[in-house]
Amino acid sequence: MLMHSSSLTPVLSFVSFLSVYYLNLLTFFILQTTVIEYVKPSDLKKDMNETFKEKFPHIKLTLSKIRSLKREMRVVGEDCGMQPVTMAMALVYFEKLVLQGRLNKQNRKLVSAACILLAAKISSDLKKQEVKHLIDKLEERFRISRRELISFEFTILVALEMALYLPESKVMPHYRKLVQLQQSKQ
């Protein structure tokens, strides 16, 4: 999750796109709490996508599509046995590109796959066979061609301004979430 520089609030978090309409503040003698009303999932999804579009008009994909791509990225990482820190780096790369407005319907799967490939290469000592296995999985999961992926990798590297080493503050929110997800599955 990328953070605003002025705060620690994740930019692309779920809660930041909930409409105030669905939130109720309840105040008791010694307790104050917020209750989220039940809303049909389709209405909530539509409202969150609209709110996201208002906040980020330059981004060409919906919030639900971005979340779906991130979910697919996590599945590939799990299938390939990637470390959570590697996947966290891939998700940070992906969110940086999303916020730059570089994703669209045509390149979204290539961008997702290239972020995973770059993170894997930068954060571990992959052997040739492991890279081949990862590319095979990316091809299969995202339904893209190996040739396109490898040529698109440099485009992503340039878009990220060659800044593949990330500060811990950018990686840790994703890392914590990935570890929590792994623990909840056990």
Side-chain angles (χ1 to χ4, degrees):
M1 292 173 238
L2 293 176
M3 308 277 187
H4 282 294
S5 57
S6 62
S7 72
L8 294 176
T9 307
V11 174
L12 297 179
S13 72
F14 171 77
V15 175
S16 63
F17 297 103
L18 280 176
S19 173
V20 175
Y21 174 76
Y22 303 121
L23 302 176
N24 288 323
L25 181 65
L26 301 176
T27 306
F28 299 104
F29 181 63
I30 58 170
L31 175 71
Q32 187 175 31
T33 186
T34 303
V35 177
I36 301 173
E37 292 180 24
Y38 174 77
V39 183
K40 288 194 317 189
S42 59
D43 291 343
L44 182 60
K45 180 179 174 179
K46 181 180 174 211
D47 189 38
M48 284 186 355
N49 283 333
E50 287 172 2
T51 304
F52 180 78
K53 192 67 179 166
E54 289 170 10
K55 277 188 166 184
F56 301 100
H58 68 286
I59 297 176
K60 298 164 190 76
L61 296 175
T62 63
L63 178 62
S64 55
K65 180 48 72 179
I66 292 166
R67 293 173 78 204
S68 172
L69 287 165
K70 289 170 67 174
R71 206 170 20 256
E72 291 292 314
M73 292 171 71
R74 285 193 306 268
V75 168
V76 169
E78 289 171 7
D79 289 350
C80 292
M82 296 175 77
Q83 295 294 318
V85 70
T86 303
M87 282 312 303
M89 289 173 64
L91 292 168
V92 173
Y93 299 157
F94 179 76
E95 285 188 354
K96 278 185 173 188
L97 296 167
V98 166
L99 292 172
Q100 289 174 11
R102 298 201 184 256
L103 266 78
N104 57 46
K105 188 172 180 159
Q106 291 75 31
N107 72 4
R108 68 189 191 277
K109 292 180 180 185
L110 274 172
V111 171
S112 302
C115 288
I116 294 171
L117 186 57
L118 285 171
K121 286 180 174 181
I122 202 75
S123 72
S124 60
D125 297 328
L126 291 177
K127 295 175 179 63
K128 186 176 181 178
Q129 194 59 31
E130 292 169 320
V131 173
K132 183 183 179 322
H133 175 69
L134 177 59
I135 291 172
D136 289 343
K137 283 286 188 185
L138 292 170
E139 271 185 301
E140 176 187 322
R141 189 75 187 189
F142 291 108
R143 295 177 300 284
I144 56 175
S145 79
R146 177 180 305 260
R147 180 175 287 166
E148 283 180 308
L149 174 60
I150 291 169
S151 66
F152 205 70
E153 187 179 8
F154 187 72
T155 304
I156 297 302
L157 191 57
V158 170
L160 292 170
E161 299 172 349
M162 309 271 184
L164 296 182
Y165 289 102
L166 301 165
E168 188 177 308
S169 62
K170 300 283 188 204
V171 177
M172 284 309 289
H174 287 289
Y175 176 79
R176 283 188 203 103
K177 174 127 180 153
L178 290 167
V179 169
Q180 283 176 345
L181 286 170
Q182 278 182 345
Q183 290 172 347
S184 68
K185 288 180 180 180
Q186 295 174 351

